[in-house]
């Protein structure tokens, strides 16, 4: 049992130590992450932490890897997440989806920081995000096919599709969201 619990505990300890370091640097004004793009759930402080955490990887990839390649790898990891979830390898599915999420953050940042933003790249990113969600939900749907929790997955499935549809429809009608 210790063999299966030890790696996540070590990773958790590393994330907590990094978070403590980030908090100290932030309190001392040593971070330059005040204008970080964020959502209303996590806010600028936690979004800044994530960006600070992936910063070294980001700096190594700028100009060396196309943002579109990162997008496609993220999509493939989502497909692998769905496959892992479908066969009941939920731990592997969680790790794969976490990695795919980090790559999803990196692709847009690499495009902006490398001055490689294009409408085609933005479309690839958006479409890949939706397909990635569908792959993940399909895997969990298969895994939970004989469980009442299947309804929760189907609800998330519908919500995911409706967010994109609602945004596209509103923009088509000229309604500001």
């Amino acid at each position: 049992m210790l063999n299966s619990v030890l790696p996540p505990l070590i990773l958790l300890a590393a994330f907590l130590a990094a978070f403590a370091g980030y908090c100290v640097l932030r309190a001392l004004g040593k971070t330059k992450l005040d204008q970080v793009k964020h959502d209303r759930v996590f806010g600028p402080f936690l979004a800044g932490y994530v960006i600070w955490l992936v910063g070294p990887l980001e700096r190594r990839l700028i100009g060396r890897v196309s943002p579109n390649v990162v997008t496609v790898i993220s999509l493939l990891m989502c497909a692998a997440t769905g496959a892992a979830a479908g066969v009941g390898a939920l731990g592997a599915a969680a790790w794969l989806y976490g990695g795919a999420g980090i790559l999803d953050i990196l692709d847009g940042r690499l495009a902006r920081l490398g001055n490689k933003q294009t409408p085609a790249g933005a479309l690839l990113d958006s479409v890949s995000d939706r397909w990635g969600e569908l792959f993940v939900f399909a895997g969990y749907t298969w895994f939970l096919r004989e469980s009442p929790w299947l309804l929760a997955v189907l609800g998330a499935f519908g919500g995911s599709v409706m967010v994109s549809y609602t945004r596209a429809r509103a923009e088509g009608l000229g309604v500001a969201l």
Side-chain angles (χ1 to χ4, degrees), residues 7-176:
L9 287 177
I10 292 171
L11 188 61
L12 177 63
F15 276 115
L16 291 176
F19 185 70
Y22 172 75
C23 289
V24 169
L25 290 173
R26 186 78 184 237
L28 296 174
K30 301 283 185 180
T31 61
K32 296 177 178 150
L33 300 170
D34 296 328
Q35 299 298 323
V36 171
K37 181 180 168 186
H38 64 87
D39 60 19
R40 293 182 187 191
V41 175
F42 295 109
F45 185 81
L46 288 178
Y49 168 63
V50 171
I51 298 306
W52 176 80
L53 197 61
V54 299
L57 177 61
E58 178 181 274
R59 287 187 291 278
R60 289 190 57 82
L61 295 178
I62 292 175
R64 293 185 176 138
V65 177
S66 164
N68 291 342
V69 168
V70 176
T71 299
V72 170
I73 293 170
S74 176
L75 176 62
L76 293 173
M77 288 180 74
C78 285
T81 298
V87 298
L90 301 183
W95 286 104
L96 285 165
Y97 199 50
I102 290 170
L103 291 178
D104 188 39
I105 291 169
L106 280 175
D107 63 0
R109 290 190 53 82
L110 289 174
R112 283 187 296 279
L113 295 172
N115 201 23
K116 294 188 176 197
Q117 290 177 285
T118 65
L123 178 64
L124 175 67
D125 181 53
S126 295
V127 171
S128 294
D129 288 349
R130 297 300 74 77
W131 273 108
E133 290 173 2
L134 295 176
F135 288 145
V136 171
F137 290 141
Y140 282 103
T141 299
W142 183 257
F143 177 71
L144 296 168
R145 66 190 178 277
E146 296 175 3
S147 165
W149 285 102
L150 174 63
L151 295 175
V153 175
L154 293 176
F157 219 131
S160 169
V161 171
M162 288 309 297
V163 166
S164 298
Y165 173 77
T166 303
R167 182 180 301 129
R169 185 71 176 131
E171 287 175 2
L173 294 171
V175 175

